[in-house]
Amino acid sequence: VRQRVDRIFAALETEVDAIVLWNASSHLTDSTFKYVSGVTRGGYEGCAAVLRKGLRPTLLVSTLEEESAHTASDSDVVAFQSQPALREILQITLASPRRLGVNADALVLAKANLLRELFDGVELVDVSAAISAARLVKDSDEIERVRHACDITNEVAADIPSMLREGLTEVQLAARIEQAIQSRGGRAAFNTIVCFGKNGSEPHYSPGDVPLRRGDMILVDFGSQWSDYCSDITRMYLFGGASSEQRAMFDVVRQAQASALELMRAGVAGKRVHQRAKEVIDATEFAGRFIHGTGHSIGLDVHDGGGLNDASEIMLAPGMILTVEPGVYVPGAGGVRIEDTVLVTADGPEVLTTVTKDLVEVAV
Amino acid sequence: VRQRVDRIFAALETEVDAIVLWNASSHLTDSTFKYVSGVTRGGYEGCAAVLRKGLRPTLLVSTLEEESAHTASDSDVVAFQSQPALREILQITLASPRRLGVNADALVLAKANLLRELFDGVELVDVSAAISAARLVKDSDEIERVRHACDITNEVAADIPSMLREGLTEVQLAARIEQAIQSRGGRAAFNTIVCFGKNGSEPHYSPGDVPLRRGDMILVDFGSQWSDYCSDITRMYLFGGASSEQRAMFDVVRQAQASALELMRAGVAGKRVHQRAKEVIDATEFAGRFIHGTGHSIGLDVHDGGGLNDASEIMLAPGMILTVEPGVYVPGAGGVRIEDTVLVTADGPEVLTTVTKDLVEVAV
């Protein structure tokens, strides 16, 4: 964990006196707080972290989470009773900084304004690119956590065929999947997507009270979070035997995914992986039906910063973990997506979501 | 839903040309996007909403969520393919604004900086106070959703005694509770807190692999989210018969909670409710052991803005929904908290979490 702060400072383009992370309330927290401290429990609403080059992080936590924070063995922990007290502690800790680094991608404007008030004339430097660059390459501890999260999804995905029966609704299947994740010690990393039949044409579809019918193609996109790290997988099932149209759509995506996976090795541009998947699809009858990026970095967040798309500036390197998930969407007919969570290694891609990605036909 | 935008503009102190909500990625989204549109499905990462006085909201959504967004019957929906396209649409929609309202409590700095780039010389006005004021008083649709979320927690809380057996761990009980929420169509609104015995002394404790033992007092703090709205409850159980010390601690909190509840009526200052709970506890052997605020507003977010504490400026009004949750924490010994989700009405408090709040002794 200690090296994580070093990695952030090493990636900085502008020198700063310190970096301040400051969580807002409810869900509006910066997962970088957990990244630099290694804490895996607690929500840390309103808590802050001060990072300085070569030093242990200082965690400023509410007294409500003081005990949880002490699991961060490589950080100094200072507890505060109220937000005014936190502001005083920040002033004492930081003295008179000229330049403070902030993570503009996750710091809310109100906290940025407070920093400007607390430190007269301070310049806030956006260090989100350095944080993103550091977090993009996972260390061994992070890789093990994502691997465990993927193991849970593998087990659950293997169980999905046994959950299917005529009349089961999308909402019910999503609940069954999330229960299966929990019974293995994980949590749903995001709201499980289950699409029956033509509903598969909407990439971010939310499950409804739609019953399963014979002949339905089933798209399931879900992930587990384990010890704060996420996995993400999409698999396709067929309730009955596949029609030739369903099989054709599946085969194109399967081919696009395989072609993209081949490129998941160090030194390849993320943009190139996306282009490859797109080329494969656009050379078929489904040209123009692949309407999103090919993948995203995953870690503490499901969308952990950066991805595989036309705007990507990522150059693949060992330790990166990204999803590879091309798809084809035909409104009124349905859709197919196949998604793996993939670790980039020196030797090429290691697919962490090892469960079969065949179109699983379930006997009705 | 339409009136929600009006309510925000009515609460504004400074006139603005428009208000822009702009979600960041992953979990860093502003629930106000859902508030103004009424959409309950989808994550809306990177999506934006433009609010103008007297007009329907304009939702700028990714093509991935276009179909979901059309459930917002009272909004205009414009779909974008990429973030650069979104920026262009914002420029066309807003023309040359002089003052743009933003929700500084939920807008990340990077998006604020982008707005400044897009609109040369624009003044960003923090309208978070007006948004908070509008959201603090729930309309009938919101109240029904919170009520349903509370009904789920009532049923689950009533089932907890039947889940208890010697050796069950905190983590297992938390998973059972979250599964029970899901099987009723809800989701866990936050990570369920389960504390056995002395672990109850930490208000934001995370459950561990700690087995249940005879004589343990059990603190369970959980909530359901249903149709995006949250409930929050804390109940106490005893695995066996209560000792006189356990009973004494429970009775003090029960008394403090009852006294605070009495004040939950229109026209009472939120601060006063907290002081009442504190006074009751501080008059006992547990003086100084109540170390957090008495409650928080709840709605789309578990911590929905504002609360019952020493810094509170809230004046209670009909339609507000807040938790009332005093507690006592004795490190090394344990803790007691009793929490209800409470609707303020013209006639006084309506406790929505109606399941018994007695100390439930479970025969071993």
Side-chain angles (χ1 to χ4, degrees):
Chain A
V1 172
R2 177 69 173 280
Q3 293 171 330
R4 295 180 188 171
V5 173
D6 295 342
R7 287 160 48 76
I8 292 171
F9 276 92
L12 275 185
E13 296 190 352
T14 312
E15 212 167 298
V16 295
D17 299 309
I19 295 170
V20 178
L21 309 173
W22 198 347
N23 292 334
S25 76
S26 255
H27 59 289
L28 296 159
T29 58
D30 183 352
S31 49
T32 311
F33 182 93
K34 296 195 166 184
Y35 177 72
V36 296
S37 62
V39 294
T40 56
R41 295 174 159 196
Y44 298 98
E45 278 185 58
C47 297
V50 174
L51 313 180
R52 279 165 297 196
K53 200 172 175 173
L55 296 179
R56 297 149 57 96
T58 301
L59 307 182
L60 310 178
V61 305
S62 134
T63 46
L64 303 184
E65 307 198 85
E66 192 176 355
E67 286 188 54
S68 299
H70 280 298
T71 59
S73 54
D74 217 10
S75 299
D76 296 317
V77 175
V78 179
F80 60 84
Q81 295 259 5
S82 65
Q83 287 288 318
L86 168 57
R87 294 198 280 272
E88 269 185 51
I89 295 169
L90 275 174
Q91 285 182 310
I92 293 164
T93 307
L94 289 166
S96 304
R98 286 173 309 124
R99 276 202 296 266
L100 281 182
V102 296
N103 186 8
D105 287 344
L107 182 80
V108 300
L109 179 60
K111 298 297 187 194
N113 289 342
L114 264 174
L115 286 174
R116 290 196 187 99
E117 266 176 45
L118 287 176
F119 303 106
D120 198 33
V122 74
E123 181 192 349
L124 298 186
V125 178
D126 178 10
V127 299
S128 58
I131 288 174
S132 223
R135 287 181 52 175
L136 193 56
V137 176
K138 271 64 182 174
D139 59 36
S140 57
D141 179 65
E142 296 186 280
I143 291 169
E144 284 319 301
R145 289 171 202 247
V146 175
R147 196 184 290 280
H148 191 120
C150 287
D151 287 344
I152 293 172
T153 56
N154 287 329
E155 290 181 25
V156 173
D159 272 359
I160 288 175
S162 73
M163 299 176 189
L164 304 177
R165 40 188 59 51
E166 193 162 358
L168 179 83
T169 68
E170 292 170 341
V171 165
Q172 288 169 338
L173 179 55
R176 287 286 300 276
I177 289 167
E178 297 189 3
Q179 287 176 13
I181 294 170
Q182 279 182 326
S183 70
R184 288 168 173 83
R187 324 179 46 87
F190 54 89
N191 288 0
T192 295
I193 297 172
V194 172
C195 314
F196 293 163
K198 64 180 171 51
N199 297 333
S201 70
E202 195 182 344
H204 279 192
Y205 179 77
S206 295
D209 292 325
V210 178
L212 184 59
R213 296 277 169 248
R214 288 164 192 239
D216 274 353
M217 190 147 67
I218 302 164
L219 183 155
V220 180
D221 183 348
F222 72 101
S224 325
Q225 192 174 31
W226 185 82
S227 192
D228 273 333
Y229 280 78
C230 302
S231 60
D232 195 355
I233 190 172
T234 307
R235 290 293 185 264
M236 303 297 305
Y237 307 87
L238 209 306
F239 194 59
S243 69
S244 57
E245 290 81 6
Q246 289 167 331
R247 175 64 65 183
M249 198 188 286
F250 179 85
D251 285 346
V252 165
V253 177
R254 179 70 185 264
Q255 179 54 42
Q257 212 251 357
S259 300
L261 271 181
E262 277 174 19
L263 288 179
M264 291 294 288
R265 54 174 193 267
V268 175
K271 188 186 299 199
R272 181 76 198 92
V273 179
H274 174 63
Q275 286 162 348
R276 171 75 70 93
K278 206 160 179 320
E279 284 158 15
V280 172
I281 291 168
D282 284 348
T284 71
E285 60 181 310
F286 300 105
R289 299 295 191 185
F290 176 29
I291 55 173
H292 54 70
T294 294
H296 51 83
S297 180
I298 185 166
L300 281 164
D301 295 318
V302 178
H303 294 173
D304 203 47
L308 310 171
N309 51 58
D310 279 330
S312 174
E313 293 175 4
I314 289 177
M315 188 64 70
L316 296 181
M320 290 184 181
I321 303 183
L322 298 115
T323 65
V324 177
E325 50 173 315
V328 153
Y329 308 93
V330 182
V336 170
R337 182 166 62 253
I338 301 174
E339 173 182 30
D340 285 312
T341 297
V342 180
L343 170 65
V344 178
T345 76
D347 307 321
E350 180 185 349
V351 174
L352 302 179
T353 39
T354 50
V355 65
T356 181
K357 54 186 138 182
D358 289 346
L359 177 60
V360 178
E361 293 175 315
V362 179
V364 178
Chain B
V1 171
R2 176 70 173 278
Q3 292 171 330
R4 294 180 189 170
V5 172
D6 295 341
R7 287 161 47 77
I8 292 171
F9 276 93
L12 275 186
E13 296 191 353
T14 312
E15 212 167 299
V16 294
D17 300 309
I19 295 171
V20 177
L21 309 173
W22 197 346
N23 292 334
S25 76
S26 254
H27 59 289
L28 295 159
T29 58
D30 183 352
S31 49
T32 310
F33 182 94
K34 295 194 166 184
Y35 177 72
V36 295
S37 62
V39 294
T40 56
R41 295 173 161 196
Y44 298 98
E45 280 185 58
C47 298
V50 174
L51 314 180
R52 279 166 295 196
K53 200 171 175 173
L55 296 181
R56 297 150 57 97
T58 302
L59 308 182
L60 310 178
V61 306
S62 134
T63 46
L64 303 184
E65 308 196 88
E66 192 176 354
E67 286 188 54
S68 299
H70 281 298
T71 60
S73 54
D74 216 9
S75 298
D76 296 316
V77 175
V78 179
F80 60 84
Q81 294 259 7
S82 65
Q83 287 289 317
L86 168 58
R87 294 197 281 273
E88 268 184 52
I89 296 170
L90 276 174
Q91 284 182 312
I92 293 164
T93 308
L94 290 166
S96 304
R98 286 172 308 125
R99 275 202 296 266
L100 280 182
V102 295
N103 186 7
D105 286 344
L107 182 79
V108 300
L109 180 59
K111 299 296 188 195
N113 290 342
L114 263 175
L115 287 174
R116 290 196 186 98
E117 266 176 46
L118 287 176
F119 303 106
D120 198 35
V122 74
E123 181 191 349
L124 298 187
V125 178
D126 178 11
V127 299
S128 58
I131 288 174
S132 222
R135 287 181 52 175
L136 193 56
V137 177
K138 270 66 182 173
D139 57 37
S140 58
D141 178 65
E142 295 186 282
I143 291 170
E144 284 319 301
R145 288 170 202 247
V146 175
R147 196 184 292 278
H148 192 120
C150 287
D151 287 344
I152 293 173
T153 56
N154 287 328
E155 290 181 26
V156 173
D159 271 0
I160 289 175
S162 74
M163 300 177 189
L164 303 178
R165 41 189 56 60
E166 192 162 359
L168 179 83
T169 68
E170 292 171 340
V171 165
Q172 287 169 339
L173 180 55
R176 286 286 301 275
I177 289 167
E178 297 189 3
Q179 286 175 13
I181 294 169
Q182 278 182 324
S183 71
R184 287 168 174 83
R187 326 179 44 88
F190 54 89
N191 289 359
T192 295
I193 296 173
V194 171
C195 314
F196 293 163
K198 63 180 172 50
N199 296 334
S201 69
E202 194 181 343
H204 279 192
Y205 178 77
S206 296
D209 292 324
V210 178
L212 183 61
R213 297 274 169 250
R214 285 164 193 242
D216 275 352
M217 190 146 68
I218 301 165
L219 184 156
V220 181
D221 183 348
F222 72 100
S224 324
Q225 192 174 31
W226 185 82
S227 191
D228 273 333
Y229 280 78
C230 302
S231 60
D232 195 355
I233 190 172
T234 307
R235 290 293 185 263
M236 303 297 306
Y237 307 86
L238 210 306
F239 194 59
S243 70
S244 58
E245 290 81 6
Q246 289 167 330
R247 175 65 63 185
M249 198 188 286
F250 179 86
D251 285 346
V252 165
V253 177
R254 179 70 185 263
Q255 180 54 42
Q257 212 252 356
S259 299
L261 270 181
E262 276 174 19
L263 288 179
M264 292 294 288
R265 54 175 192 268
V268 176
K271 189 186 301 200
R272 181 75 198 94
V273 180
H274 175 61
Q275 286 162 350
R276 171 74 71 92
K278 205 161 181 320
E279 283 160 15
V280 173
I281 291 167
D282 285 348
T284 71
E285 60 180 310
F286 299 105
R289 299 295 192 184
F290 176 30
I291 56 174
H292 54 72
T294 293
H296 52 85
S297 180
I298 184 166
L300 280 164
D301 294 318
V302 178
H303 294 173
D304 203 48
L308 310 171
N309 52 58
D310 280 330
S312 174
E313 292 176 4
I314 289 177
M315 189 63 72
L316 295 181
M320 291 185 181
I321 303 183
L322 298 114
T323 66
V324 177
E325 50 174 315
V328 153
Y329 307 92
V330 183
V336 169
R337 181 165 64 253
I338 301 174
E339 174 182 30
D340 285 313
T341 297
V342 180
L343 169 66
V344 179
T345 77
D347 307 321
E350 181 186 348
V351 174
L352 302 180
T353 39
T354 51
V355 65
T356 181
K357 55 187 138 181
D358 289 345
L359 176 60
V360 178
E361 292 175 316
V362 179
V364 177

